[in-house]
Amino acid sequence: MSDEVFDLAVIGGGPGGYVAAIRAAQLGMKVACIEKRATLGGTCLNIGCIPSKALLNSSELYAEARDGLNAHGIKIPTVELDLGAMQDQKSKVVKELTQGIEFLFRKNKVTSIKGMARLEGSGRIAVELSAGGGQQVSARNILIATGSESASVPGLEIDEERIVSSTGALELEGVPGHLVVVGAGYIGLELGTVWRRLGAKVTVVEWLDRITPGMDLEVSRQFQRLLSRQGLGFKLAAKVTEVDDGGDRLLVTTEAVDGGEPEKMKADVLLVAVGRRPYTDGLGLEQVGLKTDNHGRIEVDRHYATSVEGIYAIGDVIRGPMLAHKAEDEGVCVAEILAGQSPHLDYDAIPAVIYTAPEVASVGKTEEQLKEAGTAYKAGKFPFSANSRARATGKTDGFVKVLADARTDRLLGVHIIGAEAGTMIAEAALAIEFGASSEDLARSCHAHPTLEEAIKEAALATHGAPIHI
Ligand SMILES: Cc1cc2nc3c(=O)[nH]c(=O)nc-3n(C[C@H](O)[C@H](O)[C@H](O)COP(=O)(O)OP(=O)(O)OC[C@H]3O[C@@H](n4cnc5c(N)ncnc54)[C@H](O)[C@@H]3O)c2cc1C
């Protein structure tokens, strides 16, 4: 056992963990980060945000070249798909970005330890090194950032070939004839869209009677209409009751949630995308007396401290939205708290984006949440069909919706469905973070012609005064 004592040992090198490690090192702490995967970056860089966005981008380019360029006077006689090359491009991006974190660790003098960490007691971690053997790590503070894994459905055994999680769905070597997606959350819809664009028939089976639970309902309904137009099929208020994998193709049985006749369909691949669950396997929580709540999350106070002194937790393994930027910002907060600073993260100003085409992005409260809380609000909406840039580029689907407090005009929520929504939402997140009113948004000068003018117009609409509609 070495005598070296770290100020902070981070368990998990995902966006929460690696960002916390770098920020703590910037603040002068001696930091170690322990990661069991061969590469840094966690779910996000290896099997999540980055590979999915690479495939979404490539498949969108393919679909545009195949179907979308004629209207612009561009004729491409034959468009061919080279799926192997598309997958290689995705892997190249993942490799470059994960290596980039190794570089940042070296630059900031973060000690990177590859292996499986197990808590042994306050300030003590036993690491089973990936290269073989073991190492004891001592630290004044420990940060658990072990993330999450795909949730499973009883009776559906994931083999990552025919019955896949998102990880297998990112690695398919051929375009499935029929892909059945279980779960209409953002991961299922993004990956369903990828394979639909590449030629698969896609059917999404969802337990609830709507897609994207938690999203503003009006946006969600429009989103489903647009996805249906792209050829995605939906079976809502339905469940998969059986999958027979004995034949050449899977035989999937579904049933309406409230009963009824079972229906059968043949599929080549079944993607189970019913959400993610916090990951604490083998971490030794019980060894240090840490408990999880009934969702498997580690409980923390508002300073991310667990019930055991000197042990903190952030990211997907604690409460809150399972998003990379939320994990990152919490990582920064913990590092700064340990350095004696007073950081603050506004959970009402965390944006969420679905990277389909069109994109869907939101920040703050939905209309349903405001109704449920009894908050008096006013809503303003502006369609992209009335925005000049959207018309110039032919991307007129969708709208911006602004929700503001009826009495104070303070911005409460912004919801966008449309091209570039994920980029545009940053303006709304900043406005909410700064406590802006919808009038502030409406009076800020927006460049013309830009899609962002639709945000200004929706804000004007909350005052009943949009100009271009
Ligand atoms: C397909 C897909 C697409 C997604 N797209 C987006 C997106 O577009 N935008 C977005 O914001 N979020 C997205 N997410 C979610 C995002 O990936 C997670 O919210 C984010 O990675 C959480 O970060 P984290 O640091 O908490 O955990 P993780 O990224 O899960 O990292 C945890 C790390 O800890 C390691 N670990 C676990 N236990 C131990 C142990 N005992 N010892 C050592 N190491 C350990 C794991 O190997 C892992 O690398 C996506 C997820 C998926 C699956």
Side-chain angles (χ1 to χ4, degrees):
M1 184 174 167
S2 104
D3 294 335
E4 190 170 30
V5 178
F6 292 95
D7 295 311
L8 175 65
V10 181
I11 304 177
Y18 86 72
V19 168
I22 291 173
R23 183 72 188 119
Q26 282 177 348
L27 291 164
M29 285 175 241
K30 191 174 160 75
V31 186
C33 180
I34 308 156
E35 169 56 56
K36 68 182 172 65
R37 248 196 196 96
T39 48
L40 292 169
T43 303
C44 173
L45 268 66
N46 290 283
I47 52 165
C49 326
I50 299 306
S52 60
K53 265 79 259 181
L55 283 186
L56 277 157
N57 182 54
S58 297
S59 61
E60 193 178 348
L61 290 174
Y62 170 71
E64 278 237 305
R66 189 190 52 199
D67 313 320
L69 296 181
N70 261 353
H72 297 273
I74 302 166
K75 292 206 166 137
I76 307 178
T78 45
V79 176
E80 266 182 64
L81 173 66
D82 181 346
L83 184 58
M86 197 179 273
Q87 291 285 25
D88 287 349
Q89 148 74 11
K90 175 205 72 185
S91 305
K92 182 170 164 271
V93 172
V94 168
K95 189 168 171 217
E96 284 169 0
L97 285 174
T98 54
Q99 285 178 347
I101 315 259
E102 303 278 357
F103 162 78
L104 291 173
F105 272 11
R106 284 193 299 278
K107 183 181 161 209
N108 288 283
K109 301 194 173 44
V110 173
T111 302
S112 181
I113 301 172
K114 293 281 165 56
M116 174 75 190
R118 191 181 159 76
L119 298 163
E120 292 237 297
S122 189
R124 284 182 299 122
I125 300 169
V127 185
E128 199 184 310
L129 294 170
S130 306
Q135 181 178 343
Q136 296 289 325
V137 174
S138 299
R140 287 179 192 90
N141 298 287
I142 293 173
L143 174 60
I144 302 172
T146 49
S148 62
E149 63 174 358
S150 299
S152 52
V153 175
L156 295 183
E157 193 141 332
I158 307 275
D159 59 22
E160 296 297 15
E161 281 179 18
R162 291 208 297 173
I163 303 184
V164 299
S165 69
S166 55
T167 306
L170 289 164
E171 295 293 333
L172 298 180
E173 286 170 6
V175 179
H178 185 195
L179 170 71
V180 171
V181 180
V182 188
Y186 81 93
I187 292 178
L189 295 178
E190 285 187 353
L191 293 174
T193 302
V194 164
W195 293 107
R196 173 73 200 124
R197 288 172 186 156
L198 299 182
K201 173 182 172 186
V202 176
T203 307
V204 182
V205 183
E206 166 61 48
W207 176 279
L208 298 174
D209 60 0
R210 56 165 296 183
I211 66 167
T212 51
M215 180 188 283
D216 189 275
L217 191 57
E218 197 179 4
V219 176
S220 175
R221 289 207 171 118
Q222 172 81 342
F223 188 31
Q224 191 188 336
R225 274 194 290 275
L226 294 173
L227 290 176
S228 302
R229 209 169 72 192
Q230 292 167 21
L232 271 84
F234 290 95
K235 274 179 182 285
L236 300 182
K239 59 185 174 184
V240 171
T241 51
E242 199 189 335
V243 178
D244 179 351
D245 62 358
D248 285 354
R249 302 182 78 196
L250 302 168
L251 188 61
V252 181
T253 309
T254 61
E255 230 176 85
V257 168
D258 56 7
E261 282 301 297
E263 289 177 24
K264 292 193 186 294
M265 57 185 161
K266 290 209 164 145
D268 302 283
V269 175
L270 183 99
L271 163 59
V272 181
V274 292
R276 296 185 61 78
R277 65 174 191 86
Y279 182 82
T280 53
D281 295 3
L283 186 59
L285 291 183
E286 57 299 330
Q287 185 81 17
V288 289
L290 271 181
K291 291 203 179 75
T292 53
D293 67 12
N294 53 0
H295 297 283
R297 301 174 294 208
I298 297 175
E299 286 183 45
V300 292
D301 66 13
R302 58 194 184 90
H303 294 123
Y304 311 100
T306 67
S307 54
V308 177
E309 207 186 332
I311 303 186
Y312 299 79
I314 53 160
D316 280 10
V317 82
I318 66 165
R319 40 100 186 110
M322 286 185 168
L323 292 170
H325 42 285
K326 175 256 190 191
E328 289 186 29
D329 287 0
E330 289 178 343
V332 168
C333 282
V334 168
E336 294 180 352
I337 288 166
L338 292 177
Q341 301 180 4
S342 308
H344 172 71
L345 179 56
D346 182 352
Y347 285 86
D348 275 334
I350 295 180
V353 181
I354 306 180
Y355 296 84
T356 43
E359 293 181 345
V360 187
S362 62
V363 61
K365 304 285 187 220
T366 64
E367 207 164 341
E368 291 69 42
Q369 284 171 331
L370 295 177
K371 280 183 187 149
E372 203 181 310
T375 309
Y377 67 93
K378 49 193 178 167
K381 242 176 86 178
F382 191 81
F384 284 107
S385 55
N387 170 277
S388 53
R389 182 66 181 273
R391 292 205 80 92
T393 53
K395 303 213 161 145
T396 51
D397 284 331
F399 57 85
V400 178
K401 176 168 166 178
V402 169
L403 300 168
D405 190 289
R407 198 174 50 85
T408 63
D409 195 35
R410 190 184 172 117
L411 270 180
L412 299 173
V414 176
H415 305 274
I416 310 176
I417 177 165
E420 313 287 342
T423 306
M424 281 190 275
I425 202 69
E427 172 183 353
L430 188 72
I432 290 185
E433 180 79 44
F434 279 25
S437 63
S438 78
E439 188 181 351
D440 289 329
L441 263 191
R443 288 195 185 275
S444 300
C445 191
H446 286 67
H448 175 77
T450 57
L451 296 172
E452 283 81 354
E453 286 172 290
I455 298 182
K456 178 188 175 96
E457 291 272 9
L460 281 167
T462 63
H463 299 272
I467 302 289
H468 290 94
I469 200 161

